[in-house]
Amino acid sequence: MDTSDYNPTPHVIPEGENATPLEVVGGDCTDTEKLIIIMCGLPATGKTHIGNRIARYVSFFLDIQTKIFNVGDYRRELFGASLPAEFFDHSNKENMAKREQACNAALGDLVDYMKQDGVRVGILDSTNSSRTRRAHIRHVLQKDNKLKCKIIVLESVVDKEEVIEQNIRYIKRNAPDYEGRDDKEAMADFHKRREMYMNVYEPVDESDGSHIKIINNQTFVVHNTGGYLPQKVVHFVMNLHSHPRVFYLSRHGQSEYNLLGKIGGDAGLTDAGLEYARRLAVFANDVVGKHVVKDEETGEEKKVPCPARLWTSTLRRTKETAQFIKKEVITTQKSDNGEELEWIQFQGRTRRNLDELYAGVCDGLTYAEIAEKFPEEFQRRQEDKLTYRYPRGESYMDVTLRLETIVLDIERTREPILIVGHQGIHRLLYAYFMGLPRDQAPFVSIPLNTVIELTPHAYGCDEKRYVLLSKEELLKDGQDEPVTSMPMKEKAESTQKKSSGEGKTYDFDPMNPPSF
């Protein structure tokens, strides 16, 4: 069907190597293949962060049911949260018995979980500092032949003092054990707890069987680890780091198609869209590309430039939205190997993986026109928005596949990233990092004229929203959900509010930028 009559600026995907639909490369992972990951490492080495990221990645992108069993959660439930460092003294037999009780409770639940049909991956999160403890865990998991699971020990090793101190400060702020505790008291207690473990810690070696050793997020040792799922885990953890990071999601400014209520296309910006682009440039300079430093002598805080990245899709409306963001050399950076490099601030990177979901023969239509011209297709999409694929186009699931590499880049990048993209793209990225169920991703609220700041951490993801145009200037994007989608949209927004925790929204005036 010739759609040119009603779509003067179509979103054209080129023929050839990158033509749609994108190739889907599957693995040889079967429904019966199961994997148990045993976390290992001293406190403040990022074990919980790594375990949570693995679980999220496997469940969201591989659609494999995964669950974490955190021994600390069992300990807190059995014996309370505010336990002193002395509780972790390995010479205290009474406390050791209590800790073993918590470990066995977690192990019991892990075994019961892995016996279930459809369950594929389980993660035991604890220090597991001695070979005796790790051998006990393997014995419990292997004595029941019905499990038939692959078992991998994943050890995180950090020997850089500055990273350890950074991790301890972070744990003190976010860990359940130190909720409401005085900062200095919490820091001192955690250091003491860590010393208790250091006295008895035994590094992972070949006697532990299949294992992955991560050293300072730079060196990786992979021993006797094979199979589709284990190799996916290996590839993923090699992209992780424990450094604090933040990234920003912004839709493009209002486009000509937004104004007309059309979906897709490759239209340019309206005057309102260009105004948003100018304000986004100010926001990028004042917020994304700056960080606060504190003078140790005077205590004075000031903003200084910090390296930042800029990504856009290949479509005209995102590139026009980023056009006013200044690109300049701000400093020199040292790479991990000590090499000095010039840094070009906001050097744009155009990525086709960030292009909007392709609507195929419906590209350039309004929802009302789709309902009229393709009523059966419209109904199918309303029934299952996640997996529905437009004729000659894409589904949200197709887009999820091409976003996997984008997420890996976000996971491994240390500098702030400003991603100027599209509603469908940002819905999936937001859902992944905020821990939302995948079937709710297509209904997440990603409004125009707003920048969403996300800060992932071991226990979740913090969120802030900045409105760059005042409420009087906010404009509808013409792509509101059809009425039949409202129940699922409301459910998604309810989950979204719960997951965002202390998320706040700020009005950002480029003429008088606030201090965040």
Side-chain angles (χ1 to χ4, degrees), residues 74-274:
Y74 286 82
R75 166 178 52 78
R76 283 182 283 272
E77 184 177 346
L78 290 169
F79 309 112
S82 300
L83 296 171
E86 287 73 18
F87 181 84
F88 301 91
D89 184 351
H90 288 70
S91 65
N92 188 312
K93 294 183 179 180
E94 179 182 354
N95 288 338
M96 282 296 292
K98 291 180 179 179
R99 290 166 58 196
E100 187 172 341
Q101 180 183 346
C103 177
N104 288 336
L107 269 175
D109 286 350
L110 172 59
V111 170
D112 291 341
Y113 173 76
M114 297 303 295
K115 287 180 180 178
Q116 298 177 44
D117 292 335
V119 165
R120 307 287 293 286
V121 178
I123 301 174
L124 184 69
D125 183 14
S126 184
T127 54
N128 300 316
S129 54
S130 68
R131 294 189 183 96
T132 302
R133 170 58 65 84
R134 298 194 292 270
H136 168 70
I137 292 171
R138 275 192 179 272
H139 173 72
V140 171
L141 296 176
Q142 292 175 335
K143 70 179 181 180
D144 192 332
N145 293 329
K146 293 181 180 178
L147 281 185
K148 296 181 181 178
C149 296
K150 292 185 177 181
I151 301 173
I152 295 177
V153 177
L154 198 160
E155 181 185 25
S156 179
V157 179
V158 177
D159 56 17
K160 294 183 177 181
E161 287 301 322
E162 66 274 16
V163 177
I164 293 171
E165 285 298 314
Q166 170 187 285
N167 290 347
I168 291 176
R169 285 193 296 271
Y170 169 79
I171 291 170
K172 176 262 298 178
R173 291 195 304 269
N174 296 280
D177 282 350
Y178 295 103
E179 188 175 351
R181 300 273 294 271
D182 175 76
D183 286 357
K184 289 185 179 179
E185 176 190 337
M187 290 284 287
D189 183 87
F190 193 89
H191 274 288
K192 192 172 183 180
R193 180 190 299 192
R194 181 177 160 85
E195 289 174 7
M196 298 286 186
Y197 280 102
M198 290 176 66
N199 292 333
V200 297
Y201 189 79
E202 295 174 303
V204 170
D205 59 21
E206 293 186 7
S207 66
D208 288 287
S210 299
H211 64 261
I212 305 167
K213 191 186 289 280
I214 305 171
I215 305 170
N216 296 319
N217 295 113
Q218 293 176 324
T219 304
F220 302 86
V221 178
V222 181
H223 174 72
N224 193 26
T225 300
Y228 176 73
L229 271 177
Q231 289 299 321
K232 290 293 284 187
V233 170
V234 168
H235 180 242
F236 179 69
V237 298
M238 292 181 74
N239 289 280
L240 293 179
H241 64 79
S242 59
H243 296 271
R245 69 191 189 285
V246 60
F247 63 98
Y248 301 82
L249 305 178
S250 170
R251 287 177 65 183
H252 52 79
Q254 187 196 50
S255 72
E256 294 167 355
Y257 270 20
N258 288 144
L259 197 60
L260 297 172
K262 295 177 179 287
I263 65 172
D266 194 19
L269 299 184
T270 63
D271 289 342
L274 289 170

Side-chain angles (χ1 to χ4, degrees), residues 18-57:
N18 292 321
T20 193
L22 296 175
E23 182 182 11
V24 178
V25 180
D28 60 356
C29 184
T30 67
D31 290 339
T32 58
E33 182 179 350
K34 298 190 177 188
L35 173 66
I36 294 176
I37 301 173
I38 303 170
M39 302 302 297
C40 172
L42 288 168
T45 55
K47 298 183 304 300
T48 297
H49 171 74
I50 294 170
N52 284 335
R53 299 315 311 156
I54 291 173
R56 188 60 186 150
Y57 168 75

